[in-house]
Amino acid sequence: MSKSVADVQVLVFRLEDKRYCVDIAHVDEIVDREKLTQLPNSKPHVEGVMDLRGTTTTIVNPKTVLELDDSETGDRVVVFDTEGEGSTGWLIDEVSQVVSVDEEELDESVESESVDGVVRRGDDFVVWLKPSAIHA
């Protein structure tokens, strides 16, 4: 991680019955899901594209990548700042809050291809996802 954890804020959100977070620095905006246009022959986690103020935004379903059940259709989209790679958004079930993460709350020992670690919040764990691992 490039900066000290103590000065990082994360966006906490829900996918099914689990809580996840991403570094807020990667988030461009959060919008309501609008009509999606499906793309033929796209990857299984690509739900389609939507128009976001004149920009074609690819919408992906992180539940597919994370192998979660998909019983609830998310109605919020977290749009990421992808720096010239085209606009990408994640379909999520619910946005919870933006919180600061203290160093003692983060356990990076469980890092994987799509996970930066877990944040302990009381008796709960919030899985810290890498936006770069779940993309179109």
Side-chain angles (χ1 to χ4, degrees), residues 59-91:
I59 306 301
V60 300
N61 189 341
K63 294 179 194 177
T64 305
V65 176
L66 299 171
E67 299 177 353
L68 299 174
D69 291 334
D70 198 359
S71 64
E72 185 175 350
T73 302
D75 61 356
R76 304 289 284 164
V77 176
V78 176
V79 180
F80 291 95
D81 180 7
T82 53
E83 298 178 18
E85 296 176 19
S87 187
T88 301
W90 288 2
L91 199 53

Side-chain angles (χ1 to χ4, degrees), residues 20-39:
Y20 296 89
C21 67
V22 293
D23 186 334
I24 196 74
H26 297 294
V27 176
D28 194 28
E29 63 184 315
I30 301 164
V31 298
D32 290 329
R33 175 187 178 151
E34 295 182 7
K35 182 179 180 235
L36 298 180
T37 302
Q38 293 185 333
L39 300 173

Side-chain angles (χ1 to χ4, degrees), residues 2 20 23 38 49 55 65 68 85 88 100 117 120 124 126 132:
S2 59
Y20 296 89
D23 186 334
Q38 293 185 333
V49 294
T55 301
V65 176
L68 299 174
E85 296 176 19
T88 301
S100 294
R120 181 182 285 276
D124 257 358
V126 179
S132 60

Side-chain angles (χ1 to χ4, degrees), residues 55-130:
T55 301
T56 302
T57 303
T58 303
I59 306 301
V60 300
N61 189 341
K63 294 179 194 177
T64 305
V65 176
L66 299 171
E67 299 177 353
L68 299 174
D69 291 334
D70 198 359
S71 64
E72 185 175 350
T73 302
D75 61 356
R76 304 289 284 164
V77 176
V78 176
V79 180
F80 291 95
D81 180 7
T82 53
E83 298 178 18
E85 296 176 19
S87 187
T88 301
W90 288 2
L91 199 53
I92 62 168
D93 296 329
E94 178 183 60
V95 173
S96 297
Q97 60 189 339
V98 174
V99 296
S100 294
V101 175
D102 294 324
E103 200 165 336
E104 62 270 4
E105 293 176 302
L106 180 65
D107 182 353
E108 294 177 293
S109 67
V110 294
E111 187 176 1
S112 71
E113 183 179 319
S114 58
V115 174
D116 265 336
V118 293
V119 178
R120 181 182 285 276
R121 288 276 164 177
D123 291 337
D124 257 358
F125 286 109
V126 179
V127 179
W128 189 325
L129 297 175
K130 297 177 185 175

